Amino acid sequence: MNYKIEGAIRRNRKNFIIFAILWVFIAIVFVSPFAYSSHMAGLEGKMNLEVFFQTFGESIGHPFRTLANIFSEGASGTYFSTLLVATIIYSVFFFIGFVRSAPKNEYSDIEHGSSDWSQRGEQYQILNRNKGIILAEDNYLPVDKRGNVNVLVVGRIRFW
């Protein structure tokens, strides 16, 4: 299970910054006009949709001025509660995308047929580094080895 988390983090490393920038953009451009408009529409005690849509249309064109108006007119409680709801929804979608990008098995994104199956020279207990039948770069199957030296070649031969 650990390889899934590590693989998902490795795949999404660049996307974390993009997701954070997108969250800040959503918080300033969409959440602040919505929170300010809902606060202004609810000042009379009832939700006035006409005031909401009029204020929303004006405030979405000037998000930074709207953000300043939120704190100057006492709508910060509405803003932070709306931001909390938007963050939870955004986090759910982020988590779903993160889980879906996890590798299906331990060997995802590993090149098959390379010499990456061994580490720190352990392939040279079986193979030779200098001479023999070429298997990969710096990996040769020695012809003077005792035991089974059969080679399975997968691929095709092209004749021109």
Side-chain angles (χ1 to χ4, degrees):
M1 186 64 171
N2 192 20
Y3 68 88
K4 287 190 176 194
I5 295 171
E6 289 175 2
I9 290 172
R10 189 175 352 107
R11 284 184 181 181
N12 293 314
R13 190 172 293 153
K14 296 174 187 172
N15 294 335
F16 288 140
I17 296 171
I18 294 170
F19 290 141
I21 292 171
L22 183 61
W23 179 81
V24 170
F25 179 78
I26 289 171
I28 293 172
V29 175
F30 294 114
V31 174
S32 63
F34 182 82
Y36 181 68
S37 301
S38 64
H39 175 74
M40 295 303 285
L43 284 178
E44 300 170 356
K46 292 173 63 177
M47 185 68 164
N48 189 348
L49 288 179
E50 184 179 334
V51 172
F52 175 80
F53 286 120
Q54 181 182 4
T55 309
F56 187 75
E58 294 170 0
S59 62
I60 201 160
H62 307 286
F64 292 107
R65 184 179 348 154
T66 304
L67 196 60
N69 288 343
I70 285 173
F71 294 109
S72 66
E73 295 186 19
S76 59
T78 307
Y79 173 69
F80 287 120
S81 64
T82 308
L83 183 62
L84 179 66
V85 170
T87 302
I88 290 171
I89 292 170
Y90 186 75
S91 299
V92 166
F93 283 111
F94 176 77
F95 184 72
I96 290 171
F98 183 77
V99 169
R100 290 186 58 125
S101 70
K104 302 298 180 223
N105 59 36
E106 192 173 355
Y107 302 107
S108 294
D109 297 334
I110 294 177
E111 179 184 348
H112 301 305
S114 68
S115 61
D116 293 342
W117 54 270
S118 61
Q119 299 172 348
R120 295 180 294 280
E122 64 186 6
Q123 75 263 29
Y124 298 121
Q125 295 173 358
I126 301 168
L127 304 176
N128 191 340
R129 144 182 351 216
N130 299 324
K131 61 181 179 177
I133 301 170
I134 298 173
L135 298 177
E137 184 181 355
D138 296 331
N139 286 316
Y140 297 91
L141 181 65
V143 291
D144 59 348
K145 180 178 179 346
R146 291 184 179 217
N148 189 355
V149 290
N150 294 333
V151 177
L152 174 66
V153 178
V154 178
R156 61 180 173 207
I157 300 172
R158 292 186 180 177
F159 292 100
W160 301 100

